[in-house]
Amino acid sequence: MTYKSITKEENTIARKDSKRAFTDVMTEIHQVSDRAMNYVLACYFLLSVFLAPFHDTYVLSICVGGLSIATYLTIKWLKPEGRLHHYVLSGIFAVFPSLFIYQIQGLFDMHFTFLIGSTLLITYRYWNIMLPLAILTIVFHILFAEHHFNELATENGLVTYLWHIAQVLVIYAICGYWAENLGKDTKTITSQKASLAIQKEIEMHNVDFAQAISSGNLEVKHKYSFNDEDKLGQSLIKMQDNLLKGRERDLSEKFINEGIAEITEIIRQFNDNPDELAHEFVSKVVKYTGCNQGGLFLLEDEKD
């Protein structure tokens, strides 16, 4: 008995199971983050409405904030399984701070909201989600630079402006780094848990496999024969192979010995009648060996 023919297929299934487990864990994490982001977006929108009276930006607040949130919720509803709404959310975390800055006419006053957005995005655990936030932040800073930096033309103003962009990019880079690290840690932990679960299942299967063999069921198949790390399982499979070979050898010897004994008995009974002997001999051999037909041929020469 051999198990080589199913090794590659089963190994592929095991890898897919591990990958599926990681995907399920990440999906659950993203769902928890999505629910939390709904409250964050509501707070951002309320803050925008709160800032509107300072410079009469009600229309801008409601239109920009409402349209951003509506876009996010629509994409999330249309494609809940993908990551597209995550990237939209990342972009919104750049739109709202820029809206706050415009509403209160100051670039630095709402600087901390960019940090809040990038920190919240870490919970999704992959670095790519920082890209829309970083790109739109730079774009908005360029668009609002002249409006908010009266001294931008001076050397000090330009240095301050560039230093501010550098700080933002460093913050996003650090947040992206930690998000990616958290994702890798999650994958490692999930893989370890899946491996432990498989090892436990293999251990239980080895017990059942050994019990089946001990009860005489030598045809039972080992489910995890592809796992080279399962030394006990491999030993049990070798033991099964040896038992099968031994059983086949015993059956072969029994077949020969019983056949010889029965033929000997026929010869003893009909040794005085050649015709009966030939008939009984051929009949017994045909039936015993499972043949379709048989015959005996007598060689005669010219003298006899």
Side-chain angles (χ1 to χ4, degrees), residues 174-215:
I174 293 174
C175 290
Y177 171 79
W178 283 111
E180 187 69 14
N181 268 1
L182 283 174
K184 290 180 179 179
D185 290 342
T186 302
K187 185 175 183 178
T188 300
I189 294 173
T190 304
S191 178
Q192 290 175 347
K193 288 183 178 180
S195 178
L196 289 174
I198 291 176
Q199 289 300 326
K200 184 177 180 180
E201 186 176 350
I202 289 176
E203 181 181 349
M204 296 301 298
H205 181 69
N206 282 336
V207 173
D208 296 337
F209 184 73
Q211 290 177 347
I213 292 177
S214 64
S215 64

Side-chain angles (χ1 to χ4, degrees), residues 107 138-152 161 165:
L107 186 61
I138 295 175
V139 170
F140 289 143
H141 277 44
I142 293 174
L143 294 176
F144 296 156
E146 185 177 357
H147 181 71
H148 295 298
F149 280 93
N150 296 325
E151 299 179 356
L152 184 61
Y161 177 70
I165 292 181

Side-chain angles (χ1 to χ4, degrees), residues 1-3 5-6 10 205 209 212 217-225 237 240:
M1 178 177 290
T2 179
Y3 301 91
S5 60
I6 60 176
E10 289 186 341
H205 181 69
F209 184 73
N217 183 13
L218 298 183
E219 303 297 333
V220 62
K221 289 187 177 182
H222 196 286
K223 182 179 178 181
Y224 298 100
S225 58
I237 291 173
Q240 182 189 36

